[in-house]
């Protein structure tokens, strides 16, 4: 019954998206339309255009659009009872994630998956091989514009109605002016709400950690000895039969010197003993996708606990202990996980686990969570 309900809900959302989010062409934009581009700041090692955030041709980043999206992100009027906003589950102080296993929806009911952090998510659009399944833990949305509306409609999240949301925004003293400035019209449409939210989310780029200093300078000595050992473990192949110990993290989280720390794909990591959440399979209905979830970036882990799609791991030590044992076997588990299930796991020592944690924490961007341009506007 639970799967049937989820399938019915997402089918309904898809129908509503196609019915209600048709793009609108502004025939006679007003003179108040401000098309000043918003320029994202990148680190020097990402200055090549191919490494930067891509925006759709019909939704370029503008200062007015980003600022409107930021205001909407913190707007409780998007929820059915004016009780929560996007920021309620995606707190900027925690790299736009939450501190609990499952966030609470508009009626104080728990959601069904852990709240994903939102930094660097726009790279998913340009870097992911799969152009259809990109966003959410199960890849149910192809673009930031599409994903932005799903939590608003979800009955256990914001549980709202688009007509009601638009009416509230339209009759407010503030929003018609902001939409006019961002899109050249004071008439508010669903597609414009989506565009504004997507613009703001595309600006959430994090790149000021010790790890980024290493990528920029290529100076390995920015790391402590403990962090260096953790680095070596992270990028080493584990071969227990040959008595070679590595953590094998790079298979899913990027080759050496990766900025993104994710392969932008979906994997079954052996987390579920019983398949209570089918993940990507719920979207594709392909058996090989059973239990597959989006590979999260390993950046900013200091802020984003608890971990995993079900929030089942409270600490980084818990996460590493899980992978150290090899997880639960199944026909669909990723081969790079499954190979350790037949050799007794990674067999890392306690000291090696601490080294690995030390390296993971070098990806902590303390400036990102303090940036005032990402926090709630006045």
């Amino acid at each position: 019954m639970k799967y049937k309900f989820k399938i019915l809900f997402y089918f309904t959302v898809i129908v509503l998206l196609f019915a209600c989010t048709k793009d609108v062409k502004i025939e006679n934009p007003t003179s108040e339309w401000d098309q000043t581009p918003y320029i994202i700041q990148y680190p020097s090692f990402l200055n090549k255009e191919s490494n930067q955030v891509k925006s759709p041709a019909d939704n370029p980043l503008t200062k007015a659009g980003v600022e409107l999206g930021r205001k909407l992100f913190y707007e409780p009027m998007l929820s059915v009872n004016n009780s929560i906003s996007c920021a309620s589950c995606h707190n900027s102080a925690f790299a736009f994630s939450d501190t609990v296993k499952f966030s609470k929806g508009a009626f104080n009911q728990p959601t069904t998956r852990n709240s994903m952090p939102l930094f660097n998510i726009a790279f998913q659009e340009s870097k992911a091989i799969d152009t259809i399944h990109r966003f959410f833990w199960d890849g149910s949305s192809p673009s930031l514009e599409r994903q932005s509306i799903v939590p608003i409609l979800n009955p256990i999240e914001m549980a709202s109605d688009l007509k009601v949301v638009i009416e509230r925004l339209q009759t407010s003293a503030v929003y018609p002016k902001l939409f006019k400035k961002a899109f050249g019209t004071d008439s508010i449409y669903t597609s414009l709400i989506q565009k504004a939210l997507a613009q703001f989310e595309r600006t959430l780029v994090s790149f000021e950690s010790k790890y980024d200093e290493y990528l920029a300078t290529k100076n390995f000595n920015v790391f402590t000895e403990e962090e260096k050992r953790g680095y070596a473990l992270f990028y080493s192949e584990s071969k227990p039969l040959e008595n070679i110990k590595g953590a094998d993290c790079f298979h899913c989280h990027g080759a050496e010197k990766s900025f993104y720390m994710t392969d932008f794909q979906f994997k079954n990591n052996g987390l579920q003993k019983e398949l209570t959440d089918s993940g990507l399979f719920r979207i594709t209905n392909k058996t090989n996708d059973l239990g597959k979830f989006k590979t999260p970036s390993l950046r900013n882990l200091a802020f984003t606990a608890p971990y995993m799609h079900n929030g089942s791991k409270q600490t980084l030590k818990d996460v590493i202990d899980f992978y150290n044992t090899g997880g639960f076997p199944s026909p669909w588990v990723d081969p790079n996980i499954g190979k350790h299930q037949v050799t007794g796991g990674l067999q890392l020592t306690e000291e090696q686990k601490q080294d690995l944690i030390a390296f993971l924490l070098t990806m902590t961007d303390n400036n990102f969570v303090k940036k005032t341009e990402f926090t709630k506007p006045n």
Side-chain angles (χ1 to χ4, degrees):
M1 284 298 292
K2 185 181 289 187
Y3 278 159
K4 288 181 179 178
F5 171 77
K6 287 182 178 180
I7 291 170
L8 178 61
F9 162 66
Y10 281 97
F11 176 75
T12 304
V13 168
I14 291 170
V15 171
L16 285 171
L17 282 171
F18 279 105
C20 303
T21 64
K22 185 178 180 181
D23 199 9
V24 293
K25 184 177 181 181
I26 310 304
E27 297 292 345
N28 297 297
T30 66
S31 58
E32 289 91 340
W33 188 13
D34 183 357
Q35 300 182 70
T36 305
Y38 182 100
I39 307 300
I40 297 177
Q41 297 299 313
Y42 297 97
S44 58
F45 52 84
L46 279 187
N47 275 342
K48 290 183 179 180
E49 187 177 346
S50 61
N51 290 329
Q52 297 179 4
V53 168
K54 302 293 189 297
S55 294
D58 64 348
N59 193 26
L61 290 181
T62 66
K63 289 184 177 180
V66 169
E67 193 55 33
L68 171 58
R70 177 188 174 198
K71 189 167 181 63
L72 288 170
F73 190 87
Y74 289 92
E75 180 54 73
M77 281 198 290
L78 299 188
S79 66
V80 62
N81 51 9
N82 297 289
S83 62
I84 63 172
S85 67
C86 302
S88 298
C89 301
H90 300 281
N91 190 321
S92 63
F94 305 108
F96 291 92
S97 67
D98 206 348
T99 59
V100 295
K101 183 175 181 179
F102 299 124
S103 304
K104 295 293 182 67
F107 298 113
N108 207 37
Q109 71 276 44
T111 54
T112 57
R113 291 176 182 152
N114 186 247
S115 180
M116 295 194 82
L118 299 184
F119 60 85
N120 295 351
I121 55 173
F123 293 107
Q124 186 83 19
E125 293 176 311
S126 57
K127 298 297 180 181
I129 298 173
D130 190 331
T131 60
I132 299 174
H133 309 107
R134 287 171 168 166
F135 297 99
F136 296 113
W137 279 110
D138 59 10
S140 54
S141 282
S143 69
L144 283 172
E145 281 79 7
R146 286 285 184 87
Q147 69 81 30
S148 67
I149 211 74
V150 176
I152 297 174
L153 296 172
N154 191 316
I156 59 173
E157 294 186 46
M158 302 175 88
S160 207
D161 179 282
L162 292 173
K163 290 182 179 179
V164 174
V165 169
I166 290 172
E167 183 179 351
R168 289 175 182 171
L169 298 176
Q170 194 73 70
T171 56
S172 75
V174 176
Y175 280 104
K177 296 176 184 178
L178 293 177
F179 274 87
K180 182 184 289 188
K181 187 176 181 180
F183 297 111
T185 178
D186 57 8
S187 296
I188 298 173
Y189 303 95
T190 299
S191 62
L192 299 184
I193 295 172
Q194 291 178 280
K195 285 183 176 182
L197 285 168
Q199 283 195 45
F200 174 63
E201 291 177 2
R202 287 191 177 100
T203 69
L204 304 178
V205 179
S206 174
F207 58 85
E208 297 179 80
S209 66
K210 179 189 282 192
Y211 177 70
D212 294 306
E213 182 183 352
Y214 163 65
L215 293 181
T217 64
K218 299 180 176 59
N219 179 11
F220 198 55
N221 288 323
V222 301
F223 298 128
T224 66
E225 293 305 310
E226 185 182 31
E227 291 162 356
K228 289 176 181 177
R229 293 194 300 269
Y231 180 103
L233 283 168
F234 188 97
Y235 291 110
S236 294
E237 188 90 30
S238 177
K239 299 179 181 179
L241 298 179
E242 300 175 35
N243 201 30
I244 298 174
K245 289 187 177 181
D248 267 352
C249 308
F250 67 96
H251 287 296
C252 298
H253 293 285
E256 193 166 4
K257 299 181 182 179
S258 164
F259 168 72
Y260 310 102
M261 304 312 293
T262 172
D263 60 4
F264 301 103
Q265 296 180 35
F266 296 81
K267 305 287 176 66
N268 182 325
N269 66 347
L271 181 64
Q272 300 181 82
K273 186 175 183 179
E274 296 180 5
L275 200 63
T276 55
D277 190 335
S278 63
L280 183 61
F281 171 81
R282 186 181 58 76
I283 309 302
T284 66
N285 205 36
K286 294 179 179 179
T287 303
N288 286 342
D289 291 334
L290 279 164
K292 283 187 177 181
F293 293 90
K294 184 177 176 182
T295 305
S297 171
L298 297 184
R299 288 174 164 271
N300 292 318
L301 292 173
F303 307 118
T304 59
Y307 309 104
M308 306 294 189
H309 76 270
N310 58 5
S312 60
K313 307 303 176 189
Q314 291 296 318
T315 67
L316 288 178
K317 175 69 161 48
D318 293 338
V319 173
I320 293 172
D321 282 342
F322 163 74
Y323 284 116
N324 205 42
T325 63
F328 297 109
S330 80
W332 310 286
V333 73
D334 186 86
N336 287 304
I337 302 293
K339 68 183 182 182
H340 300 304
Q341 294 175 341
V342 297
T343 58
L346 293 170
Q347 302 178 21
L348 300 178
T349 66
E350 293 303 310
E351 182 182 8
Q352 287 174 317
K353 293 176 189 177
Q354 290 305 315
D355 290 343
L356 187 55
I357 290 172
F359 171 63
L360 292 172
L361 292 179
T362 67
M363 302 173 209
T364 302
D365 183 349
N366 290 299
N367 290 330
F368 177 75
V369 298
K370 298 175 184 177
K371 288 187 175 180
T372 56
E373 61 264 40
F374 298 153
T375 57
K376 185 176 180 179
N378 297 325

